[in-house]
Amino acid sequence: VIDLDLALKMDKDPPIITKTNTDVDKSLKEAWEWSNRLVLNMMRLIMATNVKPYMPKIDNAREFMKLVKDYSRSDITDKSIVGNLSSELTN
């Protein structure tokens, strides 16, 4: 699970890989994509029963977390569910 949270820690997505990118850039992009996929799958699994109908399909873990935050502040949210989900996501 090394760098599992890489997709959440980076301020922006890594650049698109082109012919001019270095091996380090390519390695970072691959690590970010792996982290992003894994984190998204984990968050979706945790939230599948309570929130899934309200969450749009999104492929970026940071953006997904922002949507969860916005959802938790909306009027359609059962606040007890939000508390449980928040603690599950942070654990």
Side-chain angles (χ1 to χ4, degrees):
V1 291
I2 296 173
D3 291 332
L4 176 65
D5 60 348
L6 181 65
L8 298 174
K9 289 191 306 186
M10 291 179 62
D11 291 334
K12 58 183 179 177
D13 300 350
I16 296 172
I17 300 300
T18 63
K19 294 178 184 178
T20 60
N21 289 99
T22 65
D23 288 340
V24 173
D25 293 336
K26 292 175 185 176
S27 176
L28 177 63
K29 178 73 171 182
E30 289 173 8
W32 181 88
E33 288 175 345
W34 174 84
S35 170
N36 189 60
R37 252 189 335 271
L38 194 57
V39 169
L40 273 171
N41 286 335
M42 287 174 31
M43 288 190 291
R44 287 180 180 141
L45 183 68
I46 290 169
M47 302 177 75
T49 57
N50 298 314
V51 181
K52 190 174 183 177
Y54 303 104
M55 299 303 291
K57 176 82 170 138
I58 194 160
D59 294 324
N60 184 299
R62 254 187 353 270
E63 293 299 318
F64 189 84
M65 289 294 286
K66 288 178 187 174
L67 286 173
V68 170
K69 181 179 177 182
D70 292 344
Y71 172 77
S72 70
R73 294 180 176 165
S74 73
D75 293 336
I76 62 169
T77 307
D78 180 347
K79 300 305 176 191
S80 64
I81 293 173
V82 172
N84 291 339
L85 291 175
S86 296
S87 64
E88 287 183 41
L89 286 173
T90 55
N91 290 333

PDB file of all heavy atoms in Angstrom, residues 25-35 37:
ATOM      1  N   ASP A  25       8.799  10.910 -15.020  1.00  0.00           N
ATOM      2  CA  ASP A  25       7.436  11.400 -15.280  1.00  0.00           C
ATOM      3  C   ASP A  25       6.486  10.235 -15.552  1.00  0.00           C
ATOM      4  O   ASP A  25       5.367  10.198 -15.052  1.00  0.00           O
ATOM      5  CB  ASP A  25       7.411  12.351 -16.474  1.00  0.00           C
ATOM      6  CG  ASP A  25       8.140  13.653 -16.216  1.00  0.00           C
ATOM      7  OD1 ASP A  25       8.275  14.029 -15.036  1.00  0.00           O
ATOM      8  OD2 ASP A  25       8.574  14.285 -17.199  1.00  0.00           O
ATOM      9  N   LYS A  26       6.958   9.292 -16.364  1.00  0.00           N
ATOM     10  CA  LYS A  26       6.128   8.137 -16.704  1.00  0.00           C
ATOM     11  C   LYS A  26       5.844   7.286 -15.472  1.00  0.00           C
ATOM     12  O   LYS A  26       4.732   6.817 -15.268  1.00  0.00           O
ATOM     13  CB  LYS A  26       6.809   7.304 -17.784  1.00  0.00           C
ATOM     14  CG  LYS A  26       6.891   8.016 -19.125  1.00  0.00           C
ATOM     15  CD  LYS A  26       7.673   7.219 -20.136  1.00  0.00           C
ATOM     16  CE  LYS A  26       7.848   8.017 -21.417  1.00  0.00           C
ATOM     17  NZ  LYS A  26       8.690   7.327 -22.390  1.00  0.00           N
ATOM     18  N   SER A  27       6.852   7.123 -14.643  1.00  0.00           N
ATOM     19  CA  SER A  27       6.694   6.344 -13.418  1.00  0.00           C
ATOM     20  C   SER A  27       5.706   7.014 -12.461  1.00  0.00           C
ATOM     21  O   SER A  27       4.864   6.345 -11.855  1.00  0.00           O
ATOM     22  CB  SER A  27       8.056   6.167 -12.749  1.00  0.00           C
ATOM     23  OG  SER A  27       7.931   5.504 -11.539  1.00  0.00           O
ATOM     24  N   LEU A  28       5.806   8.327 -12.331  1.00  0.00           N
ATOM     25  CA  LEU A  28       4.882   9.074 -11.484  1.00  0.00           C
ATOM     26  C   LEU A  28       3.452   8.945 -12.002  1.00  0.00           C
ATOM     27  O   LEU A  28       2.520   8.735 -11.221  1.00  0.00           O
ATOM     28  CB  LEU A  28       5.285  10.546 -11.410  1.00  0.00           C
ATOM     29  CG  LEU A  28       4.350  11.451 -10.618  1.00  0.00           C
ATOM     30  CD1 LEU A  28       4.307  11.035  -9.149  1.00  0.00           C
ATOM     31  CD2 LEU A  28       4.772  12.907 -10.744  1.00  0.00           C
ATOM     32  N   LYS A  29       3.282   9.061 -13.290  1.00  0.00           N
ATOM     33  CA  LYS A  29       1.949   8.950 -13.886  1.00  0.00           C
ATOM     34  C   LYS A  29       1.356   7.562 -13.631  1.00  0.00           C
ATOM     35  O   LYS A  29       0.188   7.435 -13.258  1.00  0.00           O
ATOM     36  CB  LYS A  29       2.026   9.232 -15.392  1.00  0.00           C
ATOM     37  CG  LYS A  29       0.717   9.105 -16.138  1.00  0.00           C
ATOM     38  CD  LYS A  29      -0.209  10.234 -15.860  1.00  0.00           C
ATOM     39  CE  LYS A  29      -1.404  10.167 -16.804  1.00  0.00           C
ATOM     40  NZ  LYS A  29      -2.314  11.260 -16.624  1.00  0.00           N
ATOM     41  N   GLU A  30       2.160   6.519 -13.793  1.00  0.00           N
ATOM     42  CA  GLU A  30       1.682   5.162 -13.548  1.00  0.00           C
ATOM     43  C   GLU A  30       1.317   4.963 -12.077  1.00  0.00           C
ATOM     44  O   GLU A  30       0.288   4.363 -11.763  1.00  0.00           O
ATOM     45  CB  GLU A  30       2.741   4.144 -13.964  1.00  0.00           C
ATOM     46  CG  GLU A  30       2.918   4.039 -15.459  1.00  0.00           C
ATOM     47  CD  GLU A  30       4.089   3.144 -15.850  1.00  0.00           C
ATOM     48  OE1 GLU A  30       4.670   2.477 -14.965  1.00  0.00           O
ATOM     49  OE2 GLU A  30       4.419   3.110 -17.043  1.00  0.00           O
ATOM     50  N   ALA A  31       2.148   5.487 -11.171  1.00  0.00           N
ATOM     51  CA  ALA A  31       1.869   5.363  -9.734  1.00  0.00           C
ATOM     52  C   ALA A  31       0.602   6.122  -9.374  1.00  0.00           C
ATOM     53  O   ALA A  31      -0.225   5.643  -8.582  1.00  0.00           O
ATOM     54  CB  ALA A  31       3.058   5.878  -8.922  1.00  0.00           C
ATOM     55  N   TRP A  32       0.425   7.312  -9.961  1.00  0.00           N
ATOM     56  CA  TRP A  32      -0.775   8.106  -9.685  1.00  0.00           C
ATOM     57  C   TRP A  32      -2.022   7.375 -10.184  1.00  0.00           C
ATOM     58  O   TRP A  32      -3.031   7.320  -9.483  1.00  0.00           O
ATOM     59  CB  TRP A  32      -0.669   9.473 -10.351  1.00  0.00           C
ATOM     60  CG  TRP A  32      -1.864  10.325 -10.072  1.00  0.00           C
ATOM     61  CD1 TRP A  32      -2.048  11.159  -9.018  1.00  0.00           C
ATOM     62  CD2 TRP A  32      -3.072  10.391 -10.850  1.00  0.00           C
ATOM     63  NE1 TRP A  32      -3.285  11.748  -9.088  1.00  0.00           N
ATOM     64  CE2 TRP A  32      -3.934  11.290 -10.206  1.00  0.00           C
ATOM     65  CE3 TRP A  32      -3.496   9.785 -12.025  1.00  0.00           C
ATOM     66  CZ2 TRP A  32      -5.191  11.600 -10.693  1.00  0.00           C
ATOM     67  CZ3 TRP A  32      -4.754  10.086 -12.504  1.00  0.00           C
ATOM     68  CH2 TRP A  32      -5.584  10.985 -11.849  1.00  0.00           C
ATOM     69  N   GLU A  33      -1.962   6.825 -11.395  1.00  0.00           N
ATOM     70  CA  GLU A  33      -3.119   6.124 -11.951  1.00  0.00           C
ATOM     71  C   GLU A  33      -3.484   4.915 -11.092  1.00  0.00           C
ATOM     72  O   GLU A  33      -4.659   4.663 -10.833  1.00  0.00           O
ATOM     73  CB  GLU A  33      -2.848   5.694 -13.389  1.00  0.00           C
ATOM     74  CG  GLU A  33      -2.849   6.853 -14.354  1.00  0.00           C
ATOM     75  CD  GLU A  33      -2.460   6.459 -15.767  1.00  0.00           C
ATOM     76  OE1 GLU A  33      -1.917   5.348 -15.965  1.00  0.00           O
ATOM     77  OE2 GLU A  33      -2.695   7.277 -16.673  1.00  0.00           O
ATOM     78  N   TRP A  34      -2.478   4.171 -10.625  1.00  0.00           N
ATOM     79  CA  TRP A  34      -2.720   3.014  -9.757  1.00  0.00           C
ATOM     80  C   TRP A  34      -3.382   3.475  -8.459  1.00  0.00           C
ATOM     81  O   TRP A  34      -4.378   2.909  -8.031  1.00  0.00           O
ATOM     82  CB  TRP A  34      -1.393   2.302  -9.478  1.00  0.00           C
ATOM     83  CG  TRP A  34      -1.522   1.189  -8.497  1.00  0.00           C
ATOM     84  CD1 TRP A  34      -1.899  -0.093  -8.758  1.00  0.00           C
ATOM     85  CD2 TRP A  34      -1.297   1.266  -7.086  1.00  0.00           C
ATOM     86  NE1 TRP A  34      -1.913  -0.814  -7.602  1.00  0.00           N
ATOM     87  CE2 TRP A  34      -1.554  -0.015  -6.545  1.00  0.00           C
ATOM     88  CE3 TRP A  34      -0.901   2.289  -6.230  1.00  0.00           C
ATOM     89  CZ2 TRP A  34      -1.420  -0.282  -5.193  1.00  0.00           C
ATOM     90  CZ3 TRP A  34      -0.783   2.008  -4.882  1.00  0.00           C
ATOM     91  CH2 TRP A  34      -1.034   0.739  -4.377  1.00  0.00           C
ATOM     92  N   SER A  35      -2.820   4.502  -7.848  1.00  0.00           N
ATOM     93  CA  SER A  35      -3.353   5.023  -6.592  1.00  0.00           C
ATOM     94  C   SER A  35      -4.775   5.528  -6.781  1.00  0.00           C
ATOM     95  O   SER A  35      -5.661   5.242  -5.966  1.00  0.00           O
ATOM     96  CB  SER A  35      -2.454   6.151  -6.078  1.00  0.00           C
ATOM     97  OG  SER A  35      -3.050   6.823  -5.004  1.00  0.00           O
ATOM     98  N   ARG A  37      -7.048   4.720  -9.046  1.00  0.00           N
ATOM     99  CA  ARG A  37      -7.977   3.604  -9.251  1.00  0.00           C
ATOM    100  C   ARG A  37      -8.285   2.887  -7.946  1.00  0.00           C
ATOM    101  O   ARG A  37      -9.443   2.600  -7.632  1.00  0.00           O
ATOM    102  CB  ARG A  37      -7.359   2.591 -10.235  1.00  0.00           C
ATOM    103  CG  ARG A  37      -7.981   2.554 -11.582  1.00  0.00           C
ATOM    104  CD  ARG A  37      -7.519   1.411 -12.460  1.00  0.00           C
ATOM    105  NE  ARG A  37      -6.219   0.837 -12.188  1.00  0.00           N
ATOM    106  CZ  ARG A  37      -5.060   1.253 -12.701  1.00  0.00           C
ATOM    107  NH1 ARG A  37      -5.034   2.273 -13.516  1.00  0.00           N
ATOM    108  NH2 ARG A  37      -3.937   0.635 -12.413  1.00  0.00           N
TER     109      ARG A  37
END
